């Protein structure tokens, strides 16, 4: 039997195009400077169509932020499982590989991280619950997934960790360098810089968390 092709409903396609256009515009100019008219032009939709889907710009922004943050978190959960989910024979190599993928810029998420950088800078302009919701959907979700694997490694005796959440937070801080940017480095230089930062961060992390023999 031949599988039938699933056709996405027109309303769902339009909503998806609005969210994609809004993600681009919010990433490019920020929440304050973005307008429904700009988003409509980017999405190839009318302003009336946008208002049929979203009450106002704030609701659209929150939806974009939550959905985008969730996609990033799911991607990072997959990275964690790929590198730490099974038996880990060489812990340092596994952590370095995870760190490099964790911080390597991805064009798929360029707009998302532009929004996040702006959100951090304009956090006082948003209701606290919006900031908390973003953190729960994105950074905190990814950190909890990493903490769970840190706890498993501790149970196996691979690392000596009393607080897996803190260890996960410290790992992310050590391997993340916010100066890395596609605009500042050539592809070769960027990769070598990512490798340097990842190895140095993992070395420092393991220095604090390897069991004392």
């Amino acid at each position: 039997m031949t599988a039938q092709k699933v056709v996405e409903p027109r309303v769902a396609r339009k909503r998806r195009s609005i969210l994609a256009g809004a993600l681009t515009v919010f990433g490019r100019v920020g929440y304050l400077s973005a307008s429904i008219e700009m988003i409509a032009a980017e999405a190839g939709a009318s302003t009336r169509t946008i208002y049929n889907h979203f009450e106002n710009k704030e609701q659209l922004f929150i939806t974009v932020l939550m959905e985008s943050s969730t996609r990033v978190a799911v991607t990072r959960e997959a990275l964690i499982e790929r590198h730490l989910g099974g038996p880990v024979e060489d812990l340092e190599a596994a952590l370095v590989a995870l760190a490099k993928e964790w911080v390597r810029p991805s064009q798929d998420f360029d707009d998302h991280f532009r929004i996040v950088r702006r959100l951090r800078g304009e956090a006082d302009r948003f209701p606290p619950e919006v900031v908390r919701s973003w953190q729960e959907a994105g950074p905190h979700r990814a950190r909890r997934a990493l903490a769970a694997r840190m706890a498993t490694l501790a149970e196996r005796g691979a690392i000596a960790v009393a607080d897996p959440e803190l260890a996960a937070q410290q790992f992310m801080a050590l391997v993340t360098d916010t100066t890395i940017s596609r605009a500042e480095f050539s592809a070769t230089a960027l990769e070598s810089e990512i490798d340097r930062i990842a190895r140095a961060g993992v070395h420092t992390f393991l220095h604090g968390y390897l069991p004392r023999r």
Side-chain angles (χ1 to χ4, degrees):
M1 180 180 296
T2 303
Q4 291 185 339
K5 182 179 180 180
V6 177
V7 179
E8 185 179 23
R10 183 175 181 276
V11 172
R13 289 200 307 272
K14 183 56 66 175
R15 182 181 186 276
R16 185 161 53 83
S17 69
I18 291 170
L19 290 173
L23 179 64
T24 298
V25 172
F26 286 133
R28 186 167 61 223
V29 304
Y31 174 77
L32 296 177
S33 298
S35 68
I36 292 295
E37 290 74 18
M38 293 168 64
I39 294 168
E42 184 70 34
S46 68
T47 57
R48 181 177 180 178
T49 299
I50 292 179
Y51 284 120
N52 285 340
H53 287 265
F54 302 95
E55 183 178 342
N56 50 39
K57 185 176 79 167
E58 180 180 352
Q59 186 190 54
L60 175 55
F61 175 78
I62 292 171
T63 303
V64 166
L65 181 62
M66 294 302 104
E67 292 195 5
S68 180
S69 296
T70 298
R71 286 195 297 272
V72 173
V74 168
T75 298
R76 288 189 160 168
E77 286 174 337
L79 289 181
I80 293 164
E81 287 306 300
R82 183 158 71 247
H83 294 291
L84 302 179
V88 179
E89 296 181 2
D90 186 334
L91 179 58
E92 183 171 5
L95 289 176
V96 168
L98 171 61
K100 290 168 68 172
E101 288 201 70
W102 192 279
V103 302
R104 184 179 289 114
S106 169
Q107 290 181 329
D108 291 340
F109 299 128
D110 279 351
D111 288 326
H112 168 79
F113 286 111
R114 289 191 188 101
I115 291 175
V116 168
R117 286 192 292 271
R118 290 180 181 276
L119 179 63
R120 293 183 190 279
E122 302 172 357
D124 59 333
R125 298 178 182 271
F126 295 92
E129 58 268 21
V130 172
V131 178
R132 285 196 297 269
S133 295
W134 156 64
Q135 290 174 332
E136 282 301 311
H140 291 180
R141 175 173 170 172
R143 190 180 69 200
R144 285 193 294 270
L146 181 57
R149 285 303 165 195
M150 293 291 180
T152 300
L153 290 170
E155 291 170 1
R156 295 172 181 169
I159 53 177
V161 168
D163 186 340
E165 283 274 349
L166 178 60
Q169 185 175 349
Q170 290 173 333
F171 176 84
M172 290 188 295
L174 286 168
V175 303
T176 302
D177 188 318
T178 56
T179 64
I180 292 178
S181 162
R182 288 186 184 277
E184 296 173 356
F185 296 94
S186 68
T188 303
L190 176 65
E191 190 60 34
S192 64
E193 184 69 2
I194 289 173
D195 184 76
R196 183 187 68 80
I197 293 169
R199 291 183 184 280
V202 169
H203 177 80
T204 302
F205 178 82
L206 290 178
H207 181 76
Y209 284 113
L210 278 178
R212 304 304 176 196
R213 304 301 183 187

